[in-house]
Amino acid sequence: MSKKKKRALPQTVGINVSGVETHAHLDMEDFKEDLPEVMARAKECGIAKIGNVFLGSQIYEANRFLFDAYPEVFFLLGIHPNDADKYTDAEGEAIRAAFKSDSRLKAVGEIGLDYYWDDVPPAVQEKTFRAQLELADELDMPVVIHSRDAHEKTLEILDDYGWSGKPLLWHCFGSGIATAKRILDNGWYISIPGPITYKKNEEAQEAAKYIPVERMVLETDCPYLSPEPWRGKRNEPAYVVFTAAKVAELKGMDVNELWAACAKNAYDFFGL
């Protein structure tokens, strides 16, 4: 009989300062049964703020109440590229109204392009992406970018809108130094997710060494993309500490120093 794999608990990483988990989907069904326990573990692991991403205005309206008891949670709202065909003028108006009425909403996102999945034609994704960039500009809000297998087109559209120098966070970065350099050259931030801990993810690990800590934040994208040693299991905010530990190792830094620096960046970017 095979032995059950023993996995390290996030509380063992040794984080002793407050930090920020910038990208979670805690309103999904995956957390329906144990959200209070998930939030408690996050707090135990030094997480002072969590960014919850709502994928559309109807989901936001239906689920924002889940966080009434958790003032440490701030909100992001946008139409994901895989749902780009659901964006209408009415949806744009609903998103606009939400931002004007809810101070917990801190960024338009995650928005962008995803050419890995072919559920929505690229032209439709691009139209929705452009509409949301215009909305973010009108609202004077930061944007959080989702770009999968679409970096060139994403950067081209951002250039079309003169987004260089405006507040932008590149969510779930998993590319190499060349792409990181282009993002950094525009004055933007980069968010590092759990796969940085995977042994074969050498390109992203080299990029993590290259990216200045002053332009970096950390995320889980939970319930997806669990870091080692929880790869293959449901991800949750507490596990971001394993990502922090790996990035600190790669950069030759103390994990608490890195954790605090990334937290400061998140506070600055989201206006927390």
Side-chain angles (χ1 to χ4, degrees), residues 80-95:
H80 189 286
N82 291 342
D83 298 322
D85 54 345
K86 299 175 184 176
Y87 189 87
T88 61
D89 288 344
E91 175 66 15
E93 285 300 323
I95 292 174

Side-chain angles (χ1 to χ4, degrees), residues 210-217 251 253 257-258 261-262 265:
Y210 170 79
I211 300 165
V213 71
E214 295 80 11
R215 304 278 285 283
M216 178 186 289
V217 300
K251 298 183 82 65
M253 293 177 64
E257 181 185 352
L258 177 108
C262 289
N265 297 336

Side-chain angles (χ1 to χ4, degrees), residues 35-36 39-40 43 63-75 104:
L35 183 61
M39 297 299 295
K43 190 166 287 189
N63 292 340
R64 60 178 173 160
F65 76 92
L66 294 170
F67 306 100
D68 287 352
Y70 305 109
E72 66 269 30
V73 178
F74 62 95
F75 299 157
R104 293 178 78 172

Side-chain angles (χ1 to χ4, degrees), residues 169-218:
L169 175 59
W170 201 280
H171 146 69
C172 206
F173 183 82
S175 300
I177 290 174
T179 302
K181 184 178 186 303
R182 294 177 69 182
I183 295 168
L184 294 167
D185 284 349
N186 281 289
W188 301 331
Y189 287 86
I190 294 174
S191 185
I192 307 296
I196 197 73
T197 64
Y198 302 169
K199 187 175 181 180
K200 294 183 179 180
N201 202 1
E202 295 174 357
E203 184 183 38
Q205 290 173 359
E206 288 303 311
K209 295 177 187 177
Y210 170 79
I211 300 165
V213 71
E214 295 80 11
R215 304 278 285 283
M216 178 186 289
V217 300
L218 303 169

Side-chain angles (χ1 to χ4, degrees), residues 134-150:
E134 292 172 5
L135 180 58
D137 197 33
E138 173 198 328
L139 294 168
D140 194 26
M141 297 298 294
V143 296
V144 173
I145 297 296
H146 174 111
S147 181
R148 189 173 185 188
D149 292 356

Side-chain angles (χ1 to χ4, degrees), residues 36-57:
E37 291 81 4
V38 167
M39 297 299 295
R41 281 192 292 271
K43 190 166 287 189
E44 286 174 24
C45 294
I47 297 168
K49 297 283 186 180
I50 300 173
N52 194 75
V53 184
F54 292 103
L55 302 177
S57 65

Side-chain angles (χ1 to χ4, degrees):
M1 184 180 290
S2 62
K3 291 184 178 179
K4 189 174 182 180
K5 182 178 179 180
K6 190 173 183 179
R7 303 171 192 265
L9 296 175
Q11 294 91 334
T12 65
V13 171
I15 299 290
N16 57 32
V17 293
S18 295
V20 181
E21 137 77 308
T22 62
H23 199 108
H25 297 277
L26 293 172
D27 59 309
M28 288 187 169
E29 285 291 314
D30 306 70
F31 300 101
K32 186 176 181 181
E33 301 300 324
D34 66 342
L35 183 61
E37 291 81 4
V38 167
M39 297 299 295
R41 281 192 292 271
K43 190 166 287 189
E44 286 174 24
C45 294
I47 297 168
K49 297 283 186 180
I50 300 173
N52 194 75
V53 184
F54 292 103
L55 302 177
S57 65
Q58 291 184 344
I59 294 173
Y60 161 76
E61 291 293 348
N63 292 340
R64 60 178 173 160
F65 76 92
L66 294 170
F67 306 100
D68 287 352
Y70 305 109
E72 66 269 30
V73 178
F74 62 95
F75 299 157
L76 295 77
L77 171 61
I79 296 294
H80 189 286
N82 291 342
D83 298 322
D85 54 345
K86 299 175 184 176
Y87 189 87
T88 61
D89 288 344
E91 175 66 15
E93 285 300 323
I95 292 174
R96 178 183 288 106
F99 272 93
K100 289 186 175 181
S101 64
D102 189 349
S103 62
R104 293 178 78 172
L105 281 163
K106 300 298 186 183
V108 176
E110 56 191 281
I111 65 173
L113 304 174
D114 192 318
Y115 293 169
Y116 178 83
W117 301 106
D118 58 3
D119 299 338
V120 181
V124 176
Q125 292 189 40
E126 292 163 22
K127 183 179 179 182
T128 294
F129 183 26
R130 290 176 182 274
Q132 292 185 97
L133 283 175
E134 292 172 5
L135 180 58
D137 197 33
E138 173 198 328
L139 294 168
D140 194 26
M141 297 298 294
V143 296
V144 173
I145 297 296
H146 174 111
S147 181
R148 189 173 185 188
D149 292 356
H151 294 349
E152 288 299 327
K153 191 64 178 180
T154 302
L155 288 162
E156 178 187 315
I157 290 173
L158 289 167
D159 187 55
D160 286 348
Y161 281 86
W163 214 268
S164 182
K166 294 183 180 181
L168 181 147
L169 175 59
W170 201 280
H171 146 69
C172 206
F173 183 82
S175 300
I177 290 174
T179 302
K181 184 178 186 303
R182 294 177 69 182
I183 295 168
L184 294 167
D185 284 349
N186 281 289
W188 301 331
Y189 287 86
I190 294 174
S191 185
I192 307 296
I196 197 73
T197 64
Y198 302 169
K199 187 175 181 180
K200 294 183 179 180
N201 202 1
E202 295 174 357
E203 184 183 38
Q205 290 173 359
E206 288 303 311
K209 295 177 187 177
Y210 170 79
I211 300 165
V213 71
E214 295 80 11
R215 304 278 285 283
M216 178 186 289
V217 300
L218 303 169
E219 66 165 285
T220 60
D221 199 20
C222 65
Y224 314 110
L225 303 178
S226 293
E228 295 288 2
W230 291 89
R231 187 176 184 179
K233 300 293 183 179
R234 182 195 70 174
N235 203 0
E236 63 174 83
Y239 296 168
V240 75
V241 299
F242 294 114
T243 302
K246 182 62 179 181
V247 175
E249 174 193 323
L250 290 167
K251 298 183 82 65
M253 293 177 64
D254 173 78
V255 65
N256 281 292
E257 181 185 352
L258 177 108
W259 185 248
C262 289
K264 180 184 182 303
N265 297 336
Y267 272 82
D268 290 346
F269 179 81
F270 289 107
L272 301 177

